[in-house]
Amino acid sequence: MGIQRVAVIGTGSWGTAASGLLARNCADVTLLARSGAVADSINQAHRNPRHLRGYVLPDNVGATTQAPEALEGSDAVVVATPSAFLRSTMRSVAPHVPAGVPVVVLTKGMEEGTLELMSEVVGDEVGEPCRIAALSGPNHAEEICRDMVSAAVVASPDEGVTRAARDMFVSPDFRVYCSHDLRGVEVCGAVKNVIAIACGICWGLGMGDNTLAVLMTRGLAEIGRIVSAVGGDPMTCMGLAGMGDLVATCTSSHSRNRTFGEAFARGTSLEEYEARTGMVVEGAKAVRGTWELACERGIETPITRAVHAILYEGMPMDEARHSLLDRDPNEEFYGL
């Protein structure tokens, strides 16, 4: 029978769209919501009143605010909680996560302080790290809920978990490929958001397509150095979690990281942007952990350094721009 009952933790845009994908292959999908109003709307009108409000969820998707109701008896768990709240959320629900079931992490990021990737945070809290998988790729929820073609890659230490996660999500318009490189997939997913903020800032300052192309390609090399340093496969950067997601995140109007960068260049603070949009800018969180990791491991990450300096050290944007342009060009693929 395979996986029939799935719990989804998180009712943001991606959790909502992912529930629609899961409903195609699983008989019962239950969203765990923090808000009673959100849960009631999903159950009664099949709509999320806060995210993707025009999207009508399938009839076999429901919601609850009670963790035992959502999780106990589930065949699999899907995690779509913002990175800043991931550890506390998983700690609170861990007693209700059934032993041995696959846990698929959609959250992208790197935890500040611990420098753990999202699958590691989840593994810390729910146990059995070998059952944790990460799914990543160019997956804007706004397009997925309209059945537009997309694709993702899923990775886990356990090949059976990888296949199970693939089978939960795959459909003719949502292709899912398998990988053994969990660390590489997750690093790509975290750091591409940092590069997207840089692209947004440059666009907001009036720079052109050539500048964005330079930032994306040099950003990809930067991501590759980080992947290599943490034991991942740099080839992962050439795939959906790397180049695929980087292109989508750096160029799309759906990307909160790209659009935040544009707004920041025009004078909007991070707090103002998140309050106005009701969405978390994951790249602004990930840059802290990424910069910590780069300093700790001695990884050369000039774009990450510049974004961190702009957001958290008060460096003027023009000064950050000059810090990048004044560097002597190196071999194109050094450090890989």
Side-chain angles (χ1 to χ4, degrees):
M1 291 290 293
I3 291 171
Q4 291 300 306
R5 188 168 192 274
V6 181
V8 178
I9 302 173
T11 56
S13 296
W14 192 196
T16 302
S19 297
L21 291 174
L22 291 162
R24 299 175 179 181
N25 298 319
C26 307
D28 180 10
V29 180
T30 303
L31 282 151
L32 178 59
R34 291 192 298 168
S35 162
V38 170
D40 289 345
S41 179
I42 291 171
N43 290 329
Q44 295 166 14
H46 301 290
R47 293 177 187 268
N48 185 328
R50 296 184 180 173
H51 300 279
L52 305 181
R53 286 174 288 185
Y55 176 44
V56 179
L57 285 156
D59 290 343
N60 58 332
V61 176
T64 179
T65 59
Q66 302 302 309
E69 184 181 347
L71 291 158
E72 291 175 4
S74 294
D75 301 317
V77 177
V78 173
V79 181
T81 304
S83 60
F85 310 113
L86 182 63
R87 188 176 292 278
S88 60
T89 299
M90 297 312 298
R91 184 168 294 169
S92 68
V93 305
H96 309 291
V97 176
V101 304
V103 180
V104 184
V105 182
L106 308 186
T107 307
K108 300 170 183 177
M110 187 179 298
E111 189 176 51
E112 185 181 358
T114 68
L115 307 185
E116 288 191 344
L117 296 164
M118 299 294 94
S119 69
E120 294 171 319
V121 172
V122 173
D124 286 349
E125 300 302 330
V126 305
E128 301 176 83
C130 284
R131 64 170 166 159
I132 313 295
L135 183 143
S136 191
N139 303 145
H140 287 310
E142 296 84 354
E143 295 183 0
I144 286 171
C145 70
R146 294 167 57 197
D147 297 331
M148 300 176 79
V149 173
S150 189
V153 59
V154 63
S156 169
D158 185 301
E159 188 174 346
V161 171
T162 304
R163 290 197 302 269
R166 176 198 62 193
D167 293 345
M168 287 162 53
F169 280 95
V170 71
S171 71
D173 50 39
F174 191 75
R175 306 286 296 167
V176 183
Y177 297 84
C178 296
S179 170
H180 299 288
D181 185 19
L182 178 60
R183 294 187 69 79
V185 165
E186 287 205 271
V187 168
C188 287
V191 184
K192 58 87 184 179
N193 286 331
V194 178
I195 308 303
I197 291 175
C199 286
I201 289 172
C202 287
W203 193 259
L205 292 174
M207 300 181 195
D209 294 334
N210 291 349
T211 304
L212 263 60
V214 170
L215 276 172
M216 282 189 281
T217 50
R218 295 314 303 153
L220 191 65
E222 188 163 309
I223 295 169
R225 289 194 293 276
I226 300 171
V227 168
S228 181
V230 301
D233 182 355
M235 278 298 294
T236 299
C237 300
M238 301 299 110
L240 290 162
M243 192 65 196
D245 205 2
L246 185 71
V247 170
T249 307
C250 290
T251 62
S252 174
S253 60
H254 296 312
S255 167
R256 66 194 70 172
N257 295 284
R258 156 69 188 256
T259 54
F260 162 65
E262 291 183 50
F264 187 85
R266 294 165 182 156
T268 301
S269 71
L270 174 62
E271 294 76 16
E272 290 168 340
Y273 180 87
E274 290 187 332
R276 188 182 77 221
T277 62
M279 296 190 292
V280 175
V281 180
E282 292 287 16
K285 318 300 179 188
V287 71
R288 290 184 182 270
T290 304
W291 179 237
E292 282 185 43
L293 177 68
C295 293
E296 182 180 284
R297 300 287 186 94
I299 310 166
E300 193 169 1
T301 57
I303 300 174
T304 298
R305 169 73 182 95
V307 173
H308 187 275
I310 289 169
L311 295 186
Y312 299 114
E313 300 171 32
M315 179 181 284
M317 284 176 274
D318 280 347
E319 185 178 334
R321 174 178 175 271
H322 288 303
S323 74
L324 290 172
L325 295 178
D326 287 346
R327 298 175 70 251
D328 290 331
N330 205 331
E331 293 291 328
E332 186 171 17
F333 298 114
Y334 69 93
L336 301 182

